[in-house]
Every structure is written in structure tokens, then in C-alpha cells.
Amino acid sequence: MNDDYKPVIGLEIHIELKTSSKMFCQCSSSYFAKPPNTQVCPVCLGMPGALPVPNKKAIEWTILIGKSLNCRINSFSKFDRKHYFYPDLPKGYQISQYDDPIAVDGWLEIANKESIINQSTKKIFRIRRVHLEEDTGKLIHSQNGTLIDFNRSGVPLVEIVTEPDFDNSEDVKKFLEELQVLIRYLDVSDADMEKGTMRMEPNISIISQKSKVKEQKLPNYKVEVKNINSFRFVKQAIDYEIKRQIEILKEGKAPIQETRGFDEKKGITYSQRKKEEAADYRYFPEPDIPPLVFSQGYVNSIKLPELPLAKIKKYISLGIRFEEAFILTRNKNLADYFENISSKFKIKIPNLNLKIENVDQIIANYIVNKKIDSNLPVNEFINKLIENLKPKEVDKKLLEEIIIKVLKNNQKAVLDYKKGKLNAIMFLVGQVMKEMKGKVEAKIVKEEVEKKLKNIN
Amino acid sequence: MKKSKLSKDDVLRLAHLAGLTLNEKEIEKYKKQLEETISYIENLNELKTDNILPTSYVNFLTNIFFIDEEKNERALTLEEVFQNTKNKKNNCFRVKKIFDE
Amino acid sequence: MLLGKSLVEISKLIEKKDISNKEVIDYFLKRIDKYDKKLNAYLTVNRYYKSDNFYKMILPIAVKDNFCTQGIKTTASSKVLKNFIPPYESTVTKRLIDASFFILGKTNMDAWAHGSSTETSDFGPTKNPWDLLCSAGGSSGGSAAVVSSYLAPAAIGSETAGSIRQPAAWSGVIGLKPTYGRVSRYGLIAMASSFDCPGPLTLTTEDTAFILKIIAGKDKFDATTTPNEVPDYVASLKKKKQFIIGVTDEYLNGVDEEINKSFYQLVKILEKLGHQIKKIKLLSPKYSISVYTIIQRAEVSSNLARYDGIRYGNNRTFFGSEAKRRIMLGTYVLSYGYYDAYYKKAQKVRTLIIEDFKKVFKEVDIILAPTTPIAALKLGEFDKYPFFGEIMDVLNEPAAIAGICAISFPFGLTKKGNLPIGLQLMGRWFEEENILNLTYQIEKETDFLGVIKKGVKKYPD
């Protein structure tokens, strides 16, 4: 990256909640692959006289998301109307939140080996706000018209806005992946970019470090990129856009403030129809919905599960390597599985005749490297593990035969060892292990091979 | 930023925001009527409201919700959904093609 | 035999089997055929009652055409909804139907409830039954007219600021605006969300209480309805209650002298009945006009945004000029740069008005005032007034802004035009029992100076 130019990137992420009902009515909110317009009612169709009543669970889950992002939960919050005309917006306004969102001022730390182990600079990205709103219907474009399906209209949507703390696409990708894991931990959404239950739009600008204009901390324009459907494309789109903007700046011009689309086939961003002026949404408080008041007691009662980062730190303190801790915690079910096995196994150990150190690291190893299938029920896994850890009954006769065979066929290695090249034994041990097909521990093989070598002249 | 006089552009911009199309005569008529109304409502400046909180809700209610998973008593059949429009195709509402993506 | 009978009286007759419900409905349908062409009060008449359900339906009632009635055309008197047939029922009409009411028909109104004369209706104005050259008032003009001329024993209307009380006053019937949140707005085509109140128009106070008891109460489909219990409004009518009644000059300035005279006549009677009359001070209603104009039009511009002609109805080119004007002003006061100066300022003054009423209601139980500054205007005269008649609602706007309950009842006729004079009582939030009780006392004592009976007699069978 060019040192003269620093990218300034902020993210706007939408998470579709998997509540049973929609945000303001009792229609089912699971619309994927359902026949069009079969999950609608007067409210989500915006019919005359229909009124919204908010879904309590959606609000609780928004607080949950806010808490998991270390936000402050506002004690007073409300809904507002955001006005614009578009065929997929049945009321001509979206019920959203404007100046009193549910959660503000949080942050998300990206799991990072250096920061956890070496306590060096953490990778933290600030969250400006988390608010709740309703989704729109879906447009289906065809040759001679646009079709509208309102099954998705009114589905609860949580919007997360970050501060423009990012300056490269790799961090953005890691952040999104971390956020996705976190949301799935909370079990409030499938957070799937391909299915549209997680959507994101980056805002990208460039500051020119050269023009050290005194107070210029933030650029005076930003480009929003829409229509990015996977984490891989996010990186592509951002990299392309940064390059594009720098080229413009190099020519001495200024990039236009606009919304651009992303073409995944060509890997480029392109200009969409420019809006002549900033949209005037004419926000005002939603009169049909009384405000929300959250007591400290209520907010406290919404409990977080143990979150991925905390689990990673815990596993590391149990002696597990960072890489394996990371993999185990990418999926809450897997992490729970691991913890389940660990606690059950530790209970059994005193009754087994096994000397095991670093139990957790061993279990982690077995799971991550798929040495035992993690789809097995916990008890079966533990049984297989015990089997694997028991010292193997060595077929002494077979071992001796094979050692003799290997030594005979690898005279050079034997000679090397005799000459003093002690490492040559490892090669011989390896060969024996191969012939034994892993039915014996390397330690024992090495002992026996050493014995035999001593007897050779 | 208060002004009692509106320009033609102001009126056109308002009409656009409001999703209305006006002809020349209407622009002139509404311009005049809006100006009259605007100058009347400025009598509110006679009242001091510096430390007064705005009222957004006329009732004294807070935290009114419904419980997720409640039975849907208001589901509409496809027939009911489309009984008031002819803009229908493949069980979707149909509009002129939108060129946006 | 039926002419002029109240709902309660009719239900007693049916109960005693002196008359059948079918005969009652046919009776009103016949009267509608005879007189409605002249009045233009009904937009839709419901002649096709299903005979298998019929034995369940007992009492007929007319409903303003901004209540969504399943299977029955609902237009809000606008060409935009000319052929709209709602696939669902509003809570108010559902509660009435569940209580065995039969919806006689949908009544005419100012289009989208924008107006005080029913002249902005896209389907012609409703004439005042007392003088066909005059307006019946609005926006619930049709509902007031059908009750006044006994084309229905009662009707449902809606009030945003005066839309029940003013036509009740001009057409000489009783009209109640309940406290905001007392009656569900689900299914009521929204005009101004923080003002709209469904309410009854009737010939007797007992009928008002009877209907209110049925339609009031928390609705899970309307988050702004109060969880407060619904008292037995009918039972509390007959209790012997004494009130402290407030009167203020602010609400008498600029009022027609005949209406003033009527007002003082009632004051004397109330004193005779043992109530205490107390002078109070209230904020000048002129500020209410500005507050109401700003907030209402902002909410109107928002509530009419859904009419794009895609899912139902016609597109936005079908809006009438009054609707367009209100949408434009509403958009203006919410637009960027003007929000604080207009909308937010209006909301702050709304707080002042609410605090003003709270203060006054510490001293008095009920406020007495005229309902309108003048009696019914001639059709076409409204054009002379700015705001298309908001001035006409100046005495009704403060109560609407505060959300308190208020009731208008007839009290005499003008000598000039032989037109009904309306007076109103305003009560504390959710104290409909008080104003109903006092209205009942007035009715028992004066029979409203015979206005209602006279009005019905103008339309013999």
C-alpha cells in the first residue's frame, strides 16, 4: 500500500434475526424459498389502517447483540419513521431507529495470537451503534417488469455501524468473520452472507497523508459499496475501490461521494445512478409505538453466553495452542462439545490406569485434527479416546522380527549410527513404525532399536 | 432556518419528496397556500419553550410488545392479498421495470 | 313506532319480541331509500346481509367510511380507494359485530378526514339535515347526518380534532371523542396517528355509554391503546354526581352571540342542579391551531405515503387538492433544516398545552365550552376561511392535542337559521364517566331543549 494514502473504512452490517414472527406482526419471519406473498398480513403489506406492535424477542436479541459488542444499552429508546418511496417499501416509510438506538459505543476485538499471548496491541474496532428496524420486500427483476414479493417485508433486522477504524481489507474480512461467529454464538441469526441473513456495506475513503491539513482526521467524502455477497468478495471490492480512489487522487482530482455496486464477475465496483442530493428521510418519532424504557435490572437479566474470545483465552490457559483454540471456538456447538468431553473425561481419569498430562490439549488435538470423528456422541468419543491413549500391547515377537528386517535392509543407516551419527536412529525408527502400522509407540520402538544396535558391531 | 417565502424550486422539491406531480397552476396555488400557512404557524414563536421537552407520545405507555411465536390471526390468503389490484404476475405484485442494479 | 327510538330502546323491543331484527333493519333501509339521495350521507348501503348468520345480528349502526370493514367497500371518501374492499375487519367494527350489531352502511366524510364540512369528499358533500343548503359538518359529516335524520339509530365516527364533535354540533346530535388510546385505531385509515380517536354519534347519552362500553378497551393490535379497565359506562350514568365545572373567556371570544346565550343558559341550569361553576384560565386556542396544523400535517404526509397504487387502490395522481396540500405542508415541516423550527417546536408547545390542562384539572373536574364558534355554514362558504376550516375547529383542537375526552351535545337552535347549537364538556384523561354522567343529567333536565326530537321529526316515515 502506498504510504502517502491511508484508507479509511467503516462498515454497515445488517443481521436478520431468526425470530419466529416478524418485527411488527405475527407472520412467520422465515421466508427463504417460500412461495411469494404467502406470509403476509395487513401490517406487513402496509394496508390502510394497519398498525405495528413490536416483537419483544427481537428487542431482547438486539440488546444481547449490543451487550456482546460491549455497547452501552440506552435506558430510553424508541422507533422512528424513515421516509422514502420504493416499491419494496409498502408503507412509504421504514420503521427504524434514528437518534435513540438501543445500543451505542461498543467494540469488537479480533482474536489474534500476538495480542492474546504476547499482550501486544489488541486489534479492536469500535462499534458506533446497534439498532433495530424492519426489512423490506424483495424485488425480482425480469425482462419486462419488476415483481415484488412481500414475504420478507417486516422481518426484524439489526443494523450494526462501526466507526471508520479499518484501513485494510484483511482486517475487514477478519472482523466480519469474527462478528459472524459471535452472532452465531448468540443463536439469534444464521448470519449467512449467501442467504442474505448477513449483509454488509463498506464505506471507503482515502486520506492523503501528504497534504497534512491540520485538522483533517476524516476525509470529506465517502463511497458506499453495495451488493457484496461473500467475505471473499468484500476483500476484492475494498481492494479494488482503494486502488481506484488512489488513482483519482494521484491525478489531483477528488473522488465523488456516491454509492457504487460491485460486479463479482469482473471484480470491480461501478457507479450506480447518482443521487442528486443527500436523501431527506424526514425522520420523526413513530407515534404508533410507545417508547422503550430499559431498567438496569432488565438489561442485566439478559445474559450473554461465554463468548468466543473469552473461550480462546480460557483454552489457552488450559494449555491448548492458540491455533487449536481458535478452531475449536469458531462454532459454539463444537466448543461446547469439547468442554463437555473435557469435563466428563476428567472425571473418568482417576479410574483409568493412565498417566496423562495436558488432557485438554490432547482432546483439542484429537478434535481439530479429526483423529476421532467429532460427530460422535460425547460418550462414544470418550471411549475411543481412552482406547487410543491406553499404552498399546506390543507384539514383542513381531517387533523384534521387523526391527531385524529393517536393520538388515538399511545397512547404511546402521553404519552411520555406529559412526556416531546418532540421528540416524530416527530414520530406522520411522521405518519400523511404518512396518508396524502404528501399532506401537515410537518411544518403545526407539528403545528396542537402540538395544539391537548396541548388539551389532 | 425559517422563511415564509417559497421558491418554485422549493415547491417542486417538496412535491418530489412527497411523491406528487404538480402542474404549473398547482405549483402556483400551493406555493401561495403554503406561504400563508407557514406565516400563521410562526405564531408559536411567541411562546417560550427553551426548557420544555417535546411530546412525542400522547399516552403514558411504555414497553408495549407482542410475544414472539404468537399465533398469526391475520394471515391473508393469496386471493385476499391480490383482491384489490390488477398488477399481479406469478403471485407477485408487478410494476414497471426498475433500473437500479 | 320506531321513529326516534334509541339503540337501547330498540334492543329492548327486540328482546320483548315486539319487533324482529329483520323488521328493524328493513325499516332503516326503507328510510335510507327515501331520504339519502337528498342528504348524500351514505356511500355504501349494506343490503345483502347473509340470512344464515342473520339471527345473530340485532342492532343496526352506520359506520364512517374510514373504518375497514371486511368485504364491504371502504374508501375514506377518496378516489384513491374508490373500489377498495378490505380483506380484514377493524377492531371497532369487529367488536360491534361480535356484540351483534349489523353494519347498515358506510357514511360519507371529508376525503381522508381532511376537513370540517364533508366538502372535500370525492363523492359530493353531505347536506345538513336541518338545512340542505348547509354543510353537515365534518369530517364525520355523514355519520352525524344519518343519526340526525334517523337513517340509523347511531353511528361510528372518528375524530382527529373536532371531526366527531363539530358535525355532531352542526347536525344536532351527541358526539363523543373518547380519550386518545381508549378505543383501538386498528383498521381505522390513519389520518394523524397521535390524534385519531374512534367514537360514537347518538341520539341519547345512554346510547353513547352503551356503544363506548363495547368498543373501548385494550387491543393487542394497537400498541397505543391503554390497558386501563373499561368501566361500566352505562351503570355510572345514573349515579348522583356533583362536579366543579370550569368556564373560560378564552373559549367564548369570537363566538356567535346566540351560541354564547345558549352557553350561559346552560351555566344557570348547571348551578341549579348543584354543580359549582368556576372561572379558569387556559392557553389561547390560537396556538392550538398552529400546533395541530404542524403535527397533524406531518403525520398525514407520512400516513398517506403508502398509497402508491401498487398493492391496492389507485396511484397518487388520484389525490384531491386538499390531500395534496396537507401532504406538502407535512413534508415541509419535517424536511431537513425545518424540523426543529416547526415540528419540534410544535411538539414542545404540545407539552405546554398538556401541562395547561393538567393544571386546570386540579381545580375543576370538567370544562364547559361551546363546540363551535358558529353554527353550520352554507355549502361552499368554507373557501373563505384559511386552512379550509381549521379555524372552525379552534375550540376542539386543544382537547385533541392533549388527548383528553370530550363530548358535544345539542343545546338549542339559532334563531337566525334554525340550526342546532352545540355545547361541549371536556373531561380528564380516561374520565369519560364524568362527562357522560353530566351530559345525562343535562339530558334528563332539559331534553337538550328538544333539538334531537325536532330534528328526527323533520324526517317522518
Side-chain angles (χ1 to χ4, degrees), chain A residues 45-49 81 83 90, chain C residues 88 185 187 302-303 306 311-312:
Chain A
L45 262 189
M47 301 208 84
R81 294 188 183 180
H83 301 84
Chain C
Y88 70 104
R185 293 180 295 119
S302 176
N303 286 329
R306 64 188 64 194
R311 292 148 285 127
Y312 48 80

Side-chain angles (χ1 to χ4, degrees), chain A residues 26 42 45-53 81 83 85 87 90-93 148 150 280 282-285 287-288 290, chain C residues 68 84 87-88 185-189 193 220-224 302-303 305-307 311-312 316 331 334-336 339 343:
Chain A
Q26 292 74 34
L45 262 189
M47 301 208 84
L51 295 172
V53 181
R81 294 188 183 180
H83 301 84
F85 288 104
K91 296 188 292 295
Y93 58 85
I148 319 170
F150 287 101
D280 183 356
R282 287 155 284 133
Y283 287 100
F284 75 93
D288 291 332
Chain C
C68 285
F84 178 65
Y88 70 104
R185 293 180 295 119
Y186 180 73
L188 168 62
I189 297 179
S193 312
K220 63 184 175 183
F221 295 148
D222 177 352
T224 60
S302 176
N303 286 329
R306 64 188 64 194
Y307 299 98
R311 292 148 285 127
Y312 48 80
R316 299 173 80 71
T331 307
L334 287 176
S335 63
Y336 183 76
Y339 181 90
Y343 188 76

Side-chain angles (χ1 to χ4, degrees), chain C residues 179-193:
Chain C
T179 310
Y180 178 82
R182 180 77 280 186
V183 183
S184 169
R185 293 180 295 119
Y186 180 73
L188 168 62
I189 297 179
M191 184 199 171
S193 312

Side-chain angles (χ1 to χ4, degrees), chain B residues 45-91:
Chain B
N45 294 325
E46 295 166 22
L47 294 170
K48 270 182 91 171
T49 55
D50 297 324
N51 297 323
I52 309 291
L53 290 172
T55 292
S56 296
Y57 306 97
V58 188
N59 47 37
F60 316 105
L61 301 169
T62 58
N63 296 346
I64 305 294
F65 310 123
F66 78 89
I67 305 297
D68 188 49
E69 265 179 282
E70 255 176 43
K71 182 162 170 271
N72 187 9
E73 296 170 22
R74 301 182 282 183
L76 294 174
T77 64
L78 276 175
E79 202 193 319
E80 288 169 329
V81 168
F82 292 103
Q83 77 185 25
N84 285 297
T85 182
K86 294 197 175 79
N87 310 324
K88 178 183 168 198
K89 188 177 175 193
N90 301 340
N91 288 336

